[in-house]
Amino acid sequence: MQARRIRVRGQVQGVGFRPFVWQLAQRMGVRGHVLNDAQGVLIHAEGGELDTFEAALVAEAPALARVDNVDSSPAEPWGAETFDIAASGAAGAETRVTPDAAVCADCLREMADPGDRRHRYAFSNCTNCGPRFTIIQGLPYDRDRTTMAAFPMCAACAAEYGDPANRRFHAQPVACPDCGPRVWIEPDGGLPDPVEEAAARLLRGEVLAIKGLGGFHLAVDASNETAVQTLRARKRRPAKPFALMGTLEMIRRYAIATEADVALLTDPAAPIVLLARGAAALPEGVAPGQGTLGWMLPYTPLHHLLVAACDRPLVMTSGNLSGEPQVIGNAEARDKLGGFVDGYLMHDRDIARRLDDSVERADPPMVLRRARGRVPGTLPLPPGFEDAPQIVAYGGQMKAAICLVKNGQALLGHHLGELDDPLTYEAFLQADADYADLFDHDPALVACDLHPDYRATRHAHARGLPVVEVQHHHAHLASCLAENGWPLEGGKVAGIILDGTGLGPDGTVWGGEVLLGDYHGFERHGWLTPAPLIGGDMAAREPWRNALARLDQAGLGDWADEVFADKPLQMTRQAAGSGLNSPMSSSAGRLFDAVAGCLGICPDVQSFEGEAAMRLETLASASTGLRRYNLALGIPVSSMSAGPIDPSPMIRAMVSGWQAGETLEDLAFAFHLWLVRAIEGAAMTAMAKNGIDTVVLSGGCFQNALLAELFQSSLKDYTVLAHRTTPANDGGLALGQAVIAAARHLAGR
Ligand code: ZN
Ligand code: ZN
Ligand code: FE
């Protein structure tokens, strides 16, 4: 008789993999056992159809599993008579935590069945769905170490939990109306069913705080203009787009959802997906000036009940004070959100970990915010990194996220926010301790940005461990390489890094770069001609400052005098001239702001980061016809060789086009195309000179779908590496820092 030892690696713990193997074994007459250990799942199998059994491990894997590989070797038969699920190994044996998953179709079917004991139960879940990372307090993943520990299982739930043939076998958050969490409304009163009552209040135009999976949302009826404006006024959030929640049917009414969009919406991660506006319109106040709306499907049973009861889409924006982290506790919600809301839809399952909704796009595929549903998913490190030590990388100042390296895997943590905010920084420190604890992480090396004043950098140095400082745009390049599995010794590539700002090794501020390099190092081949960031941080908020700098540079100072007559021009120019709080920068993000300012698009102040650039993208995407190309091709591209790339001809073309009555749409498009031509010219020269045919696209500007598409199609003769599952923005920075630190360590051995 034959026997095999089968090792399965990947996301195979906490996803019902052991009962799945047990069921396969029953079906195929295989005997032996299955267990979880530090490397994944280990199976001893004997008797039966072992080849078929092994193939089915991959082909029929449970919904939430991701099998990276299966290693099989002959073993000594034991003469086993049954197939068992063996107890997990010692503490620390189960190393994988699965991301939270949207409620599955089977659970929804039960909830809709008046005869089922979980009819309309707001906390239904099973092995194939439900909360994970948001309820875990420690490993191994057992109910005792989750926020479900407060709810002892009733006999019926315990029977399901203990039955390997049941969909709820070892589903840690299993619960029912008899034993599990419950929902209530504050202030109480009204209809007997709290969800029905919440819907009635929303339909009356009230603002409600809704406790969700990874935090509280603020909700209003998305079709009620007054309610939307009330929420904006109370939250003091004039323009930043609100996320929307609706059923697929509702989404199709208000948005254009392609097949790829629907696939992403219905992914177990259930992210917010950016979709083009459709035939029916929602109030403009939902997302002023934006061509896309962010939609998500209801992803918890509670959301499903609520959206069904409202029968219309809801605004579901994160429940926080401006700039602060999302609220997760009930008392905290009453305390902090009291000024915004008319009531609360509460529940009594604690949120162990704050996780915002992820924000993604299906085409071109991109992740703008990596959080709920994606984290703590891991990324296998590329070939050559097998012996990388344990590393923690702390990212940048904006869109902070931490990255851990351990056992050949990189774990890019969840979106934390802007570390300028003291409470967000506190959350960053908590997350650092939390990840270290949960993943039993003991780093030998710390990686961070080159910028000495970033809070994350200071924290890195305070660890008392060897620190690797990584240049910001080199980190962007490396994060894209790592995501694409580029080998450690894969050779140099060209990197087109269009970004906000990051400190360069020369002490100036970089951000519009053509780099040449790999994990080991880089050189700067081309860059946008620097302009002063007049007023430092103020330049990022007030587009007119960047417009003034670029107009003066382009010899259009007189024009600037006219259009910015109401601004303190003399003082501003003095600062620029003397360099006082006006560092020179090649930032592409600030060039977007400058062009927006020149065209009169929110020149005074941006109410959120990226507002001007997003409006420019929206305008450019609405441009059609040949005129836009003629405009763009009429702008000379300054240089195809190494060195600075001067935007002055483009700035002059924008102004003269505007004076000649060209449309903003066409001008905005012409700017996008000019940027592509100018930057790729430098990249192609670098590639030709060095015999390279691979180019990386990274940096925050690649959240701009039009820009990403223009580069992709223009560079189609090259191998283009772009971000698909990690953010091109600073949310991906820590991954790049981590692999660069690993490369440095491995080279130094
Ligand atoms: Zn389920
Ligand atoms: Zn129960
Ligand atoms: Fe950046």
Side-chain angles (χ1 to χ4, degrees):
M1 193 191 52
Q2 277 191 8
R4 286 183 200 172
R5 181 183 187 274
I6 305 170
R7 152 77 58 207
V8 188
R9 288 189 185 86
Q11 184 172 288
V12 290
Q13 294 179 355
V15 293
F17 207 88
R18 287 175 302 158
F20 152 71
V21 174
W22 180 88
Q23 282 167 19
L24 273 187
Q26 306 301 318
R27 207 172 85 205
M28 298 180 178
V30 171
R31 300 181 301 279
H33 76 199
V34 55
L35 56 83
N36 280 342
D37 67 8
Q39 294 186 58
V41 162
L42 187 63
I43 302 165
H44 175 89
E46 57 188 61
E49 285 295 316
L50 290 185
D51 286 334
T52 325
F53 176 74
E54 222 178 285
L57 289 176
V58 179
E60 298 177 30
L64 299 181
R66 191 199 69 217
V67 177
D68 288 345
N69 65 56
V70 177
D71 275 344
S72 163
S73 54
E76 276 300 306
W78 300 340
E81 290 178 359
T82 55
F83 192 90
D84 301 315
I85 297 176
S88 305
E94 295 185 45
T95 53
R96 294 303 186 91
V97 181
T98 308
D100 301 277
V103 57
C104 75
D106 289 331
C107 286
L108 285 174
R109 213 168 293 129
E110 289 171 346
M111 285 171 58
D113 175 2
D116 193 276
R117 69 192 193 89
R118 291 191 179 84
H119 180 229
R120 292 183 61 77
Y121 183 52
F123 302 91
S124 296
N125 66 82
C126 72
T127 338
N128 300 320
C129 75
R132 296 283 192 283
F133 196 42
T134 52
I135 60 166
I136 288 177
Q137 292 165 320
L139 284 179
Y141 176 47
D142 272 324
R143 192 181 179 95
D144 289 355
R145 278 172 295 267
T146 71
T147 59
M148 284 299 293
F151 304 94
M153 273 182 250
C154 69
C157 285
E160 291 170 327
Y161 181 90
D163 175 7
N166 193 284
R167 201 172 92 243
R168 295 195 165 87
F169 177 71
H170 279 215
Q172 303 306 341
V174 68
C176 76
D178 289 336
C179 66
R182 61 182 194 95
V183 177
W184 68 92
I185 192 154
E186 297 179 19
D188 62 3
L191 301 168
D193 179 330
V195 177
E196 299 283 351
E197 174 59 18
R201 293 186 195 182
L202 287 168
L203 296 184
R204 282 203 300 268
E206 290 190 11
V207 180
L208 294 187
I210 315 275
K211 188 175 184 182
L213 200 55
F216 276 79
H217 285 111
L218 300 179
V220 293
D221 172 359
S223 60
N224 182 335
E225 170 88 64
T226 315
V228 170
Q229 289 310 337
T230 303
L231 178 57
R232 286 216 177 273
R234 288 187 193 168
K235 236 197 140 186
R236 290 202 200 91
R237 177 162 152 161
K240 196 173 178 187
F242 283 146
L244 298 160
M245 181 178 279
T247 61
L248 215 43
E249 208 181 11
M250 294 173 194
I251 293 175
R252 286 203 165 105
R253 210 174 305 149
Y254 296 102
I256 299 166
T258 64
E259 225 170 279
D261 292 326
V262 172
L264 188 54
L265 284 162
T266 55
D267 186 279
I272 294 170
V273 180
L274 299 184
L275 300 174
R277 290 175 189 251
L282 287 169
E284 181 62 14
V286 166
Q290 302 295 327
T292 57
L293 295 175
W295 284 94
M296 59 186 151
L297 292 174
Y299 54 86
T300 68
L302 183 59
H303 292 149
H304 275 273
L305 295 170
L306 185 65
V307 170
C310 291
D311 198 24
R312 65 185 66 179
L314 297 174
V315 163
M316 289 286 266
T317 188
S318 63
N320 59 348
L321 299 177
S322 179
E324 287 188 5
Q326 194 175 12
V327 165
I328 59 173
N330 292 3
E332 187 192 9
R334 291 181 197 110
D335 179 38
K336 291 209 158 170
L337 305 179
F340 304 160
V341 302
D342 302 303
Y344 307 83
L345 189 60
M346 289 284 199
H347 65 69
D348 55 359
R349 186 178 70 203
D350 285 344
I351 297 171
R353 204 163 280 99
R354 173 184 298 108
L355 283 184
D356 291 283
D357 295 313
S358 291
V359 182
E360 305 186 2
R361 192 167 193 142
D363 186 23
M366 61 173 79
V367 172
L368 295 99
R369 185 165 74 197
R370 195 169 176 282
R372 177 190 49 77
R374 299 298 182 195
V375 179
T378 58
L379 184 82
L381 288 176
F385 283 100
E386 291 77 8
D387 297 332
Q390 292 192 30
I391 297 170
V392 60
Y394 288 125
Q397 180 83 349
M398 310 276 283
K399 297 184 166 58
I402 293 167
C403 182
L404 307 184
V405 164
K406 183 179 173 179
N407 294 342
Q409 303 274 328
L411 193 170
L412 180 58
H414 62 284
H415 166 86
L416 290 159
E418 324 306 337
L419 298 187
D420 295 337
D421 174 68
L423 289 177
T424 305
Y425 181 59
E426 211 171 279
F428 166 88
L429 296 178
Q430 274 168 16
D432 185 32
D434 179 34
Y435 277 104
D437 186 41
L438 203 54
F439 298 100
D440 195 15
H441 197 255
D442 184 16
L445 267 183
V446 182
C448 65
D449 197 272
L450 209 57
H451 201 304
D453 299 330
Y454 283 178
R455 281 180 152 157
T457 305
R458 282 193 238 132
H459 176 62
H461 286 284
R463 293 284 320 252
L465 292 165
V467 176
V468 176
E469 289 182 339
V470 179
Q471 199 279 323
H472 192 98
H473 304 100
H474 186 207
H476 276 302
L477 171 86
S479 76
C480 190
L481 287 177
E483 188 203 310
N484 284 281
W486 188 260
L488 175 59
E489 302 305 342
K492 287 183 184 174
V493 300
I496 293 177
I497 317 294
L498 301 179
D499 200 30
T501 52
L503 184 62
D506 61 357
T508 72
V509 180
W510 291 15
E513 314 300 319
V514 177
L515 305 180
L516 199 66
D518 58 11
Y519 300 108
H520 297 294
F522 72 99
E523 51 198 90
R524 192 189 196 196
H525 179 85
W527 58 92
L528 290 169
T529 302
L533 299 174
I534 312 173
D537 288 346
M538 266 186 331
R541 286 192 294 274
E542 302 180 5
W544 70 271
R545 292 170 180 273
N546 303 290
L548 177 68
R550 289 295 183 189
L551 284 168
D552 281 357
Q553 228 173 33
L556 293 172
D558 293 351
W559 171 254
D561 290 345
E562 232 172 273
V563 289
F564 299 126
D566 60 330
K567 307 289 186 228
L569 293 183
Q570 202 195 336
M571 212 170 73
T572 316
R573 282 184 169 128
Q574 250 166 25
S578 67
L580 182 74
N581 195 20
S582 299
M584 294 304 282
S585 173
S586 56
S587 167
R590 296 300 82 80
L591 184 63
F592 268 86
D593 293 351
V595 170
C598 289
L599 298 177
I601 298 156
C602 60
D604 297 333
V605 66
Q606 312 193 62
S607 71
F608 62 94
E609 188 221 347
E611 182 178 9
M614 284 167 77
R615 289 195 186 225
L616 214 51
E617 177 191 354
T618 302
L619 283 168
S621 305
S623 163
T624 52
L626 268 186
R627 184 77 202 125
R628 57 187 181 152
Y629 288 106
N630 292 337
L631 268 173
L633 299 176
I635 309 172
V637 169
S638 68
S639 158
M640 287 290 187
S641 60
I645 300 159
D646 185 11
S648 291
M650 180 274 299
I651 294 286
R652 287 193 287 269
M654 288 296 120
V655 171
S656 61
W658 199 67
Q659 288 168 325
E662 302 291 352
T663 65
L664 286 182
E665 286 82 356
D666 286 352
L667 288 167
F669 182 87
F671 160 61
H672 278 74
L673 196 53
W674 173 83
L675 187 61
V676 173
R677 290 171 61 229
I679 295 287
E680 78 175 8
M684 285 170 175
T685 317
M687 288 193 282
K689 248 203 238 162
N690 295 277
I692 289 170
D693 64 358
T694 302
V695 54
V696 156
L697 306 179
S698 189
C701 295
F702 285 100
Q703 296 171 97
N704 179 324
L706 176 66
L707 192 71
E709 277 167 342
L710 287 173
F711 268 111
Q712 290 270 5
S713 63
S714 190
L715 292 165
K716 61 181 180 307
D717 294 337
Y718 299 86
T719 302
V720 179
L721 304 182
H723 292 268
R724 300 167 69 95
T725 61
T726 62
N729 61 42
D730 284 4
L733 217 51
L735 171 63
Q737 294 170 350
V739 287
I740 287 169
R744 218 164 284 179
H745 175 89
L746 293 169
R749 280 185 311 176

